[in-house]
Amino acid sequence: MASNGDNNASAKPPPEPSPLRKAKFFQANMRILVTGGAGFIGSHLVDRLMQNEKNEVIVVDNYFTGSKDNLKQWMGHPRFELIRHDVTEPLLIEVDQIYHLACPASPIFYKYNPVKTIKTNVIGTLNMLGLAKRVGARILLTSTSEVYGDPLIHPQDESYWGNVNPIGVRSCYDEGKRVAETLMFDYHRQHGIEIRIARIFNTYGPRMNIDDGRVVSNFIAQAIRDEPLTVQLPGTQTRSFCYVSDMVDGLIRLMEGDNTGPINIGNPGEFTMLELAENVKELINPEVQIITVENTPDDPRQRKPVITKAKSLLGWEPTIKLRDGIPLMEDDFRGRLGISRKN
């Protein structure tokens, strides 16, 4: 197993999962747990996993930011189960793989309840690792580009240790995910747990919370409502936007592959906030104004992934361009807001 952690430490062999895996006459389904599976990325991941008839998918969510609506097409399906549960509490369940996505990812939500956010990142990850250890499951953590903080190198590859303010208003999320990565590697080295770490960059697409404070959803909702697009000063800060179907493909390839990670999964196409606003204006509502507003503290100035590892180790790179993804998201937002296009 390829590992980016301390290669000198002799990792224990992973614990064995269910004996049914080796049964001669009984081919068990793959039981997959998705924490945070009612959320934006989690529900799209569930859709993809459910397409494989050999998968049984169990979703755990406390609905802090997720919604049952995102999973309504699978309600009552014999291979699907939904459990209302908070990952900060232990979970006793039999599974083969764990996709650990549970955590508020929008600044509006994690600043609203920072203590809950860091508990989810630390205690939630400990609980999921404890579960993986008990049942011999492979576990994938969705970490974040926020572990790089306000980066001093550009673009960011996986060897960069980051520049994070440990006492800032975002650190419940940034430092929480950094601790979660630490826990993953410690369990891997000490207990032989099979781990996978994805550092995911800005992701967008249908089912995002409409008023979640993230820039793509903000701009699209504002354009649909005929409101000015609010660009935070100075407007030259950059982000890289990955469409959700590309992201899900990357996560599944990482889980199914042989590399622990961490591996950046994101779109290296880089846009300033003003460029993003201009694209949304042109594609959705050419009549709206673009205005500037004050920025939030600790907002990173640049964000762009180096995806060399994802390409070479996973055979993955994004396929959907921003200008193709925005209209798909617009259709979803219009449906939920009940605002049709002007003729």
Side-chain angles (χ1 to χ4, degrees):
M1 178 188 294
S3 168
N4 294 342
D6 177 5
N7 291 320
N8 298 321
S10 56
K12 288 187 176 182
E16 286 288 325
S18 161
L20 289 175
R21 287 275 153 254
K22 293 184 176 173
K24 282 182 183 174
F25 304 109
F26 180 79
Q27 185 56 55
N29 282 350
M30 178 70 77
R31 289 167 302 195
I32 303 172
L33 172 64
V34 182
T35 73
F40 159 50
I41 296 177
S43 62
H44 285 279
L45 173 64
V46 169
D47 290 351
R48 187 78 62 87
L49 293 172
M50 285 295 292
Q51 287 169 13
N52 181 340
E53 293 184 359
K54 287 292 180 190
N55 291 340
E56 291 177 17
V57 179
I58 303 160
V59 167
V60 160
D61 207 296
N62 68 349
Y63 309 124
F64 180 50
T65 60
S67 166
K68 282 184 187 174
D69 272 355
N70 293 336
L71 298 167
K72 59 178 180 277
Q73 65 171 312
W74 302 116
M75 297 295 188
H77 193 287
R79 290 186 289 107
F80 177 78
E81 189 175 348
L82 177 60
I83 303 171
R84 186 186 192 116
H85 181 82
D86 193 309
V87 293
T88 59
E89 302 293 334
L91 182 67
L92 298 174
I93 195 171
E94 292 292 327
V95 291
D96 303 292
Q97 290 182 346
I98 302 166
Y99 285 88
H100 181 36
L101 281 72
C103 184
S106 157
I108 281 183
F109 287 104
Y110 59 69
K111 290 177 188 174
Y112 168 75
N113 197 338
V115 172
K116 180 70 175 177
T117 299
I118 201 156
K119 275 182 159 180
T120 301
N121 277 322
V122 179
I123 300 171
T125 302
L126 272 169
N127 282 333
M128 288 305 109
L129 283 163
L131 172 61
K133 181 185 169 195
R134 281 196 301 277
V135 301
R138 178 180 295 181
I139 179 169
L140 180 148
L141 169 73
T142 52
S143 185
T144 170
S145 59
E146 298 287 340
V147 299
Y148 300 126
D150 189 3
L152 302 176
I153 66 164
H154 190 74
Q156 296 82 51
D157 70 18
E158 293 88 349
S159 66
Y160 180 50
W161 288 359
N163 176 42
V164 178
N165 174 4
I167 57 169
V169 292
R170 301 168 73 104
S171 47
C172 59
Y173 185 67
D174 305 359
E175 294 286 36
K177 288 290 191 183
R178 286 162 71 94
V179 173
E181 287 194 14
T182 303
L183 289 167
M184 292 281 287
F185 267 100
D186 286 343
Y187 266 76
H188 170 60
R189 286 185 284 247
Q190 189 171 336
H191 299 300
I193 303 302
E194 288 191 2
I195 64 164
R196 304 288 183 265
I197 296 176
R199 287 184 180 156
I200 69 179
F201 282 66
N202 293 62
T203 308
Y204 71 101
R207 300 185 197 154
M208 287 188 89
N209 285 321
I210 288 172
D211 292 303
D212 77 350
R214 285 186 279 192
V215 65
V216 183
S217 48
N218 275 7
F219 286 173
I220 290 177
Q222 287 167 342
I224 290 172
R225 290 167 170 155
D226 291 322
E227 298 168 358
L229 308 189
T230 52
V231 175
Q232 293 188 345
L233 288 168
T236 52
Q237 64 272 42
T238 67
R239 295 292 183 273
S240 306
F241 301 103
C242 184
Y243 192 70
V244 65
S245 60
D246 283 336
M247 177 59 62
V248 165
D249 183 42
L251 293 177
I252 291 174
R253 285 177 187 233
L254 177 59
M255 175 66 98
E256 301 297 338
D258 294 324
N259 285 83
T260 62
I263 291 182
N264 287 341
I265 300 183
N267 192 324
E270 188 180 14
F271 294 84
T272 69
M273 296 302 93
L274 279 168
E275 286 172 338
L276 175 65
E278 293 286 358
N279 271 290
V280 170
K281 175 176 176 168
E282 180 193 336
L283 291 166
I284 296 179
N285 187 347
E287 309 295 313
V288 292
Q289 286 181 287
I290 295 174
I291 61 173
T292 54
V293 296
E294 282 303 308
N295 204 337
T296 53
D298 297 328
D299 186 48
R301 289 160 297 176
Q302 294 177 304
R303 194 52 63 69
K304 177 181 177 177
V306 175
I307 60 167
T308 310
K309 278 192 169 162
K311 283 181 177 177
S312 62
L313 300 175
L314 308 179
W316 177 89
E317 61 183 312
T319 59
I320 296 176
K321 294 183 171 64
L322 184 67
R323 290 181 65 85
D324 297 328
I326 286 173
L328 299 172
M329 193 164 162
E330 178 194 0
D331 293 341
D332 171 66
F333 272 35
R334 284 191 183 279
R336 286 193 281 155
L337 288 167
I339 301 173
S340 56
R341 295 173 195 274
K342 297 170 187 167
N343 294 327

